[in-house]
């Protein structure tokens, strides 16, 4: 009995189980395991393992093969289904009474589906439907070919009805589906009567259809098969051959041309692929005018009998011979070429040879036009066309023209030629005129680009622009004009008269719109040649301010511009008021500073007097701490007095009343006064410094304001002391540089960062460096002010490795320098 969940081993598992049982049942293998027994059993184990692996691999390969075969059967079945569906679709298309032409690629032959007999009765070749001239009239065939070209190149769809040669109406519809050009041709059931007169014979679609038409002609006509053998001749042809005494073999109609002449005709038709007209010299009948045209399965032709040729008109009505125009053609600078009805070059001028770069000797051989086109294409001078043969065939249709035709040729070398093809009256040929349009197109392109830029520039202007002609009508405008005066653009586009604009402005702005434009009208209609341009400002009732300008243009027209300056005028008014307020505040500040500074000097004088009295100990002895406090009072009072003096000095300079009291100075005395001021200001200070003074010898006589120079040196020294460590050294050097005196103050303090140097000489710029406040920020401002009064300069530089260097350069004779500057 099997336990629950037991399954019979299958496949490789069953095989392995059987081998294990065999292994266990073998007496040799079931013996107790020893080293010798293990060694003897190893080959068996390896063999069994290899056999098991091979069997497993075989089973897996069989399984994969079955899966692959099943997939192959499914693919084959699906492919068969798809082929059957495709056959069904093709059968359906073939059963439909229409022909479908599919161009999957411009360089490949198209696929043609459907019964061709619906379009060409009796025709079995699908490609025959592509020969439009075989079953359509010349005009509809060309129209359909042109539409097909536009479809394949530009993707232009079409749906037209064209008359077939047998009288039926064919519906032609072209579409671009997924990049593939598809054309459907379907008979509509309607018919028209085919024309049977004149040159309609050149449009016979097939031999069977042509026979019915040729039978009605009164001139000799015939049909030939594709080998050139005569297969049909009408009654006029038979009568003509009998009059010539020609007889055919075994009752057939005789051929009026020999074998070589017929072969030449066939080659000419194959090269032309269209109707040709030529003249043949017959041994018996004389000169015959022939017209040959290709047909489906052969060709047809007819000729004029010697007595049946068109009679010449009266001499006074005869068209002039083209040969008479040779002299005129040669004198023209425009390239001209004349081809006869056989497409041979008969006349050309030197401009034609130069334009195309053709050899004159070769042109004198009267080459065929096709040979000329082929040579030009080889030289890369013709327009780039994907289908050259089709393009050439369309061009050679010029020989069937009844009126001039113009076609632009865009040549690869950048030139553009307007090709005018006109029928040569009386010769059956074509006259080509090649008009070089390159310069004109370039001028038009530049003109259009200039006009485009002008229009875009005009539209982008923030000014409203209006240009009026001499008749008072609006010639040019931009959208800004419509926006400023709230006039509709469509009304402006109708070139209204200025009176109409005046009326429209009156409706938009009833209060003053009409009045404003009536005043502006006077500047527009004034045609006085001496009148000048005018400008002004308009204050409109809606609160807007418009600046206008009326400018007379060189061509007599008048341009008017409007600029909305409402916001700028408001800004100008606000700025003007603010400027006036700032000026008043500045004057008030100066007055306040002067008054306060003078008021501060009285109590400050009392403080300094009493501090000096206490320091002199006339009122009693002071202990050490009292003396220290007294020195602090005297030092702070001196600094405060100096600050007040600085403020008064700056106020005096700002008021423009500062003057220099120049005199001859002793530089050593000036330096000593500055040192004394520094010592007085630093008395009682915890930051004494070591000042070293170096005065050069042979200094020139120094003429300056001694008080100002002392104040400059004092401010520089005190500024250096403020930023120096206790006991640090400060250097003051005085030297000469030409006719100038140079004062240099150097310290080894913390230095001034580069980004703060530009603000050092600004007033009230009290920045701190490494926690050290520079004070009220007036010291260096005073230095710069007084040095500038003397006509000198101040510069600040970093000192290596530490510290700052300030250089003051003033003229040695300040009074003379200032007089020379004035």
């Amino acid at each position: 009995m099997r336990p629950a969940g037991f399954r019979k081993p299958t496949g490789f598992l069953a095989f392995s189980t059987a081998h294990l049982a065999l292994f266990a049942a073998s007496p040799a293998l079931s013996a107790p395991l020893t080293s010798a027994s293990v060694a003897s059993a190893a080959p068996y184990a390896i063999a069994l393992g290899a056999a098991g692996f091979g069997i497993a691999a075989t089973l897996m390969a069989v399984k994969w093969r079955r899966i692959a075969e099943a997939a192959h059967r499914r693919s084959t079945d699906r492919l068969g289904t798809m082929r059957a569906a495709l056959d069904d679709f093709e059968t359906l298309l073939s059963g439909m009474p229409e022909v479908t032409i599919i161009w999957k690629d411009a360089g490949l032959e198209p696929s043609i589906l459907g019964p061709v007999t619906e379009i060409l009765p009796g025709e079995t070749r699908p490609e025959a439907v592509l020969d439009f001239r075989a079953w359509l009239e010349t005009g509809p065939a060309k129209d359909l070919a042109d539409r097909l070209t536009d479809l394949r190149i530009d993707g232009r769809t079409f749906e037209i009805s064209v008359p077939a040669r047998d009288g039926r109406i064919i519906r032609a519809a072209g579409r671009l589906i997924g990049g593939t050009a598809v054309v459907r041709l379907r008979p509509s059931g309607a018919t028209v009567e085919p024309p049977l007169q004149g040159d309609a014979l050149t449009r016979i679609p097939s031999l069977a259809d042509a026979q019915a038409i040729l039978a009605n002609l009164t001139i000799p006509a015939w049909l030939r098969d594709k080998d050139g053998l005569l297969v049909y001749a009408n009654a006029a042809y038979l009568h003509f051959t009998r009059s010539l005494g020609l007889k055919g073999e075994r009752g057939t109609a005789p051929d009026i041309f020999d074998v070589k002449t017929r072969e030449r005709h066939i080659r000419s038709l194959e090269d032309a692929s269209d109707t040709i007209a030529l003249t043949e010299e017959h041994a018996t009948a004389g000169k015959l005018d022939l017209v040959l045209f290709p047909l489906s399965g052969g060709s047809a032709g007819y000729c004029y009998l010697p007595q049946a040729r068109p009679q010449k008109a009266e001499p006074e009505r005869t068209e002039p011979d083209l040969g008479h125009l040779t002299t005129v053609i040669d004198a023209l600078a425009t390239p001209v070429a004349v081809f006869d009805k056989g497409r041979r070059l008969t006349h050309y001028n030197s401009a034609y040879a130069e334009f195309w770069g053709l050899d004159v000797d070769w042109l004198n051989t009267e080459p065929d036009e096709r040979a000329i086109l082929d040579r030009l294409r080889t030289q890369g001078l013709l327009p780039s066309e994907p289908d050259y043969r089709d393009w050439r065939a369309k061009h050679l249709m010029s020989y069937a023209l009844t009126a001039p035709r113009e076609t632009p040729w865009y040549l690869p070398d950048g030139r553009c030629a307007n090709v005018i093809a006109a029928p040569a009256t009386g010769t059956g040929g074509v006259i080509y005129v090649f008009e070089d349009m390159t310069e004109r197109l370039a001028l038009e392109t530049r003109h259009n680009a200039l006009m485009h830029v002008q229009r875009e520039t005009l539209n982008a202007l923030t000014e409203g622009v209006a240009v009026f002609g001499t008749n008072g009508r609006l010639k040019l405008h931009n959208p800004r004009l419509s926006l400023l005066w709230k006039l509709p653009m469509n009304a402006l586009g109708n070139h209204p008269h200025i009176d109409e604009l005046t009326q429209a402005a009156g409706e938009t702005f009833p209060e003053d719109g009409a009045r404003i434009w009536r005043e502006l009208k006077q500047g527009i209609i004034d045609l006085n040649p001496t009148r000048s341009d005018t400008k002004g400002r308009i204050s409109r009732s809606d609160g807007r301010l418009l600046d206008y300008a009326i400018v007379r243009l060189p061509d007599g027209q008048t341009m008017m511009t409007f600029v909305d300056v409402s916001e700028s005028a408001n800004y100008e008014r606000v700025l003007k008021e603010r400027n006036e307020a700032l000026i008043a505040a500045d004057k008030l500040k100066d007055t306040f500073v002067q008054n306060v500074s003078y008021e501060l000097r009285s109590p400050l004088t009392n403080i300094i007097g009493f501090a000096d009295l206490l320091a002199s100990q006339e009122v009693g002895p002071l202990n050490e701490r009292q003396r220290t406090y007294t020195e602090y009072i005297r030092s702070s009072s001196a600094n405060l007095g100096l600050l007040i003096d600085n403020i008064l000095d700056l106020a005096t300079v700002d008021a423009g009343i500062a003057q220099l009291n120049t005199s001859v100075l002793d530089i050593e005395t000036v330096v000593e006064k500055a040192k004394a001021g520094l010592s007085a200001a630093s008395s009682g200070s915890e930051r004494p410094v070591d000042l070293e003074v170096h005065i050069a010898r042979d200094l020139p006589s120094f003429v300056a304001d001694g008080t100002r120079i002392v104040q400059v040196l004092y401010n520089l020294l005190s500024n250096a002391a403020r930023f120096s460590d206790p006991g640090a050294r400060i250097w003051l050097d005085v030297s000469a540089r030409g006719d100038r005196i140079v004062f240099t103050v150097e310290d080894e303090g913390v230095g001034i960062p580069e980004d703060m140097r530009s603000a050092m000489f600004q007033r009230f710029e009290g920045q701190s460096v490494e926690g050290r406040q520079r004070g009220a920020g007036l010291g260096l401002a005073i230095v710069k002010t007084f040095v500038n009064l003397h006509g000198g300069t101040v510069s600040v530089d970093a000192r290596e490795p530490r510290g700052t260097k300030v250089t003051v350069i003033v003229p040695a004779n300040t009074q003379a320098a200032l007089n020379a500057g004035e």
Side-chain angles (χ1 to χ4, degrees):
M1 222 177 140
R2 297 176 183 171
F6 178 84
R7 289 189 303 172
K8 183 179 180 180
T10 60
F12 177 73
L13 183 60
F15 178 82
S16 302
T17 304
H19 279 74
L20 289 175
L22 180 62
F23 184 84
S26 176
L29 297 177
S30 59
L33 293 176
T34 62
S35 59
S37 63
V38 171
S40 61
Y44 295 100
I46 293 174
L48 289 174
F53 178 77
I55 293 173
T58 302
L59 293 175
M60 292 299 295
V62 170
K63 180 179 180 181
W64 290 340
R65 180 177 179 181
R66 290 177 179 174
I67 294 174
E69 289 177 350
H72 177 69
R73 285 194 299 270
R74 287 195 299 270
S75 301
T76 302
D77 294 342
R78 184 176 300 176
L79 181 60
T81 302
M82 294 174 62
R83 287 178 176 174
L86 181 60
D87 292 340
D88 293 340
F89 292 147
E90 291 183 353
T91 301
L92 290 175
L93 289 176
S94 299
M96 296 293 290
E98 64 180 25
V99 175
T100 303
I101 309 173
I102 303 173
W103 280 270
K104 295 183 179 179
D105 196 327
L108 299 179
E109 293 295 329
S111 300
I112 302 174
L113 304 176
V116 180
T117 55
E118 292 291 335
I119 305 300
L120 294 174
E123 182 62 62
T124 59
R125 296 177 297 112
E127 62 273 10
V129 77
L130 299 177
D131 187 6
F132 298 147
R133 287 186 295 270
W135 53 278
L136 291 176
E137 302 293 342
T138 303
K142 182 179 181 301
D143 185 24
L144 182 57
D146 292 341
R147 291 178 182 269
L148 178 58
T149 302
D150 294 340
L151 172 66
R152 298 178 61 189
I153 296 177
D154 300 330
R156 299 180 185 175
T157 61
F158 66 89
E159 186 170 354
I160 59 174
S161 297
V162 292
R165 293 186 183 273
D166 57 3
R168 295 179 301 158
I169 299 297
I170 306 297
R171 291 292 296 173
R175 295 288 185 272
L176 198 64
I177 303 175
T180 300
V182 180
V183 176
R184 298 174 58 193
L185 303 173
R186 181 187 183 93
S188 64
T191 60
V192 295
E193 292 296 329
L196 299 174
Q197 55 188 0
D199 58 351
L201 298 174
T202 61
R203 299 188 291 269
I204 300 174
S206 64
L207 294 176
D209 297 332
Q211 181 174 344
I213 299 175
L214 296 181
N216 296 321
L217 293 180
T218 59
I219 59 175
W222 60 90
L223 295 175
R224 300 184 185 275
D225 60 12
K226 60 182 180 180
D227 296 325
L229 298 179
L230 192 66
V231 296
Y232 171 76
N234 64 354
Y237 179 92
L238 297 176
H239 178 74
F240 176 58
T241 55
R242 284 195 297 269
S243 65
L244 296 178
L246 300 178
K247 295 182 180 181
E249 297 180 358
R250 299 179 182 178
T252 59
D255 203 322
I256 59 176
F257 300 111
D258 56 18
V259 177
K260 292 183 178 180
T261 304
R262 295 198 301 268
E263 291 178 352
R264 188 174 72 253
H265 291 172
I266 293 175
R267 288 195 299 270
S268 300
L269 283 173
E270 291 177 351
D271 294 337
S273 299
D274 201 354
T275 302
I276 61 175
L278 67 159
T279 302
E280 286 289 350
E281 188 71 30
H282 194 270
T284 305
K287 185 178 293 186
L288 299 176
D289 293 334
L290 306 180
V291 176
L292 306 177
F293 46 91
L295 295 174
S296 178
S299 63
Y302 59 89
C303 68
Y304 293 104
L305 298 178
Q307 65 274 15
R309 292 176 183 170
Q311 298 296 322
K312 294 184 178 179
E314 294 297 329
E316 61 274 15
R317 298 182 181 178
T318 303
E319 296 288 345
D321 191 349
L322 193 59
H324 298 165
L325 301 178
T326 304
T327 305
V328 179
I329 293 175
D330 292 339
L332 293 176
T334 303
V336 178
V338 181
F339 294 85
D340 60 13
K341 59 185 177 182
R343 297 176 182 169
R344 292 286 179 178
L345 179 66
T346 59
H347 302 287
Y348 70 93
N349 58 2
S350 57
Y352 173 78
E354 293 176 1
F355 184 80
W356 293 111
L358 296 173
D359 185 17
V360 176
D361 295 335
W362 181 71
L363 292 177
N364 291 334
T365 61
E366 298 185 358
D368 187 271
E369 185 180 4
R370 289 166 301 182
I372 297 177
L373 294 176
D374 292 342
R375 173 169 291 196
L376 294 178
R377 178 173 179 263
T378 303
Q379 296 176 357
L381 297 177
L382 290 183
S384 301
E385 295 289 339
D387 190 347
Y388 167 70
R389 293 181 63 86
D390 181 67
W391 175 85
R392 187 184 68 175
K394 291 180 181 179
H395 171 71
L396 294 177
M397 289 182 181
S398 303
Y399 291 88
L401 294 175
T402 58
R405 179 187 66 182
E406 296 186 15
T407 306
W409 285 8
Y410 300 98
L411 307 181
D413 57 1
R415 296 181 298 171
C416 177
N418 184 32
V419 182
I420 304 174
T425 305
T427 65
V430 180
I431 301 176
Y432 291 107
V433 179
F434 299 89
E435 184 181 2
D436 192 350
M437 304 289 292
T438 307
E439 294 186 2
R440 193 177 82 177
L441 288 179
L443 289 175
E444 290 181 358
T445 302
R446 289 196 294 269
H447 173 74
N448 293 336
L450 181 62
M451 293 300 295
H452 177 72
V453 172
Q454 179 183 4
R455 183 170 57 254
E456 293 298 327
T457 303
L458 192 64
N459 293 339
L461 291 177
T462 57
E463 297 89 350
V465 178
V467 178
F468 292 90
T470 55
N471 58 356
R473 287 194 171 274
L474 184 65
K475 299 295 184 181
L476 188 65
H477 67 280
N478 65 346
R480 186 63 177 174
L481 178 69
S482 172
L483 183 63
L484 289 177
W485 289 99
K486 299 180 181 179
L487 300 175
M489 286 293 293
N490 55 354
L492 296 178
N494 295 330
H495 305 289
H497 193 270
I498 189 170
D499 291 336
E500 300 176 26
L501 290 180
T502 302
Q503 181 180 358
E507 296 175 357
T508 307
F509 301 96
E511 293 83 0
D512 55 358
R515 177 187 59 81
I516 292 173
W517 276 90
R518 279 196 300 268
E519 295 175 357
L520 295 175
K521 177 183 176 181
Q522 300 303 320
I524 299 297
I525 63 176
D526 185 6
L527 300 180
N528 185 0
T530 61
R531 70 183 176 95
S532 60
D533 300 339
T534 59
K535 60 178 62 177
R537 174 167 293 183
I538 299 172
S539 180
R540 215 163 53 187
S541 58
D542 60 349
R544 309 302 294 180
L545 295 178
L546 302 179
D547 281 351
Y548 73 91
I550 301 177
V551 181
R552 183 182 180 186
L553 300 179
D555 57 356
Q557 299 186 111
T558 305
M559 180 178 69
M560 182 185 301
T561 61
F562 298 94
V563 182
D564 189 351
V565 296
S566 303
E567 295 183 0
S568 60
N570 292 333
Y571 292 152
E572 181 181 356
R573 177 178 54 80
V574 171
L575 291 176
K576 185 177 180 180
E577 294 176 355
R578 179 170 295 183
N579 186 53
E580 293 175 352
L582 290 176
I583 293 175
D586 190 58
K587 291 181 179 179
L588 182 62
K589 179 204 69 174
D590 293 340
T591 303
F592 172 78
V593 169
Q594 291 179 8
N595 293 335
V596 171
S597 298
Y598 281 112
E599 293 296 332
L600 288 175
R601 294 187 69 85
S602 296
L604 181 61
T605 302
N606 295 333
I607 294 173
I608 294 175
F610 285 119
D612 291 341
L613 181 62
L614 291 174
S616 64
Q617 298 186 10
E618 293 182 1
V619 295
L622 301 175
N623 56 33
E624 188 65 26
R625 177 172 293 183
Q626 291 173 339
R627 284 196 299 272
T628 301
Y629 291 162
T630 303
E631 290 299 327
Y632 276 127
I633 293 173
R634 295 178 63 191
S635 176
S636 298
S637 300
N639 289 333
L640 182 58
L642 181 61
L643 177 60
I644 295 173
D645 291 339
N646 288 339
I647 294 175
L648 290 175
D649 290 335
L650 290 176
T652 302
V653 172
D654 291 341
I657 59 176
Q659 295 182 351
L660 296 179
N661 298 321
T662 60
S663 62
V664 179
L665 303 179
D666 181 14
I667 295 180
E668 293 184 357
T669 303
V670 170
V671 172
E672 288 299 327
K673 290 182 179 181
K675 290 174 59 179
L678 179 65
S679 300
S682 60
S683 61
S685 173
E686 299 178 355
R687 305 178 61 83
V689 293
D690 182 10
L691 175 62
E692 295 184 10
V693 179
H694 301 282
I695 302 176
R697 298 180 180 180
D698 301 330
L699 293 175
S701 178
F702 188 30
V703 179
D705 189 332
T707 303
R708 307 300 189 190
I709 296 298
V710 170
Q711 194 169 357
V712 167
L713 296 179
Y714 167 74
N715 287 348
L716 291 177
L717 294 175
S718 61
N719 186 76
R722 184 176 296 111
F723 286 97
S724 298
D725 296 329
R729 288 190 300 174
I730 297 175
W731 294 269
L732 171 61
D733 292 334
V734 183
S735 60
R737 185 179 298 175
D739 59 348
R740 293 178 175 271
I741 303 298
V742 180
F743 299 93
T744 304
V745 176
E746 298 183 59
D747 63 70
E748 52 184 6
V750 296
I752 301 175
E754 185 175 358
D755 58 345
M756 294 177 56
R757 293 175 193 169
S758 60
M760 285 181 58
F761 299 101
Q762 302 296 327
R763 301 178 187 181
F764 306 108
E765 289 290 337
Q767 297 98 337
S768 61
V769 179
E770 293 188 2
R772 303 181 183 185
Q773 185 68 25
R774 205 177 66 209
L778 291 178
L780 294 182
I782 288 292
V783 170
K784 183 176 179 63
T785 300
F786 288 165
V787 171
N788 290 340
L789 284 176
H790 283 80
T793 59
V794 182
S795 62
V796 180
D797 300 298
R799 182 178 180 276
E800 297 297 337
R802 177 181 171 90
T804 305
K805 177 181 178 182
V806 181
T807 304
V808 175
I809 303 176
V810 295
N813 191 338
T814 301
Q815 189 63 41
L818 293 178
N819 293 337
E822 294 177 357

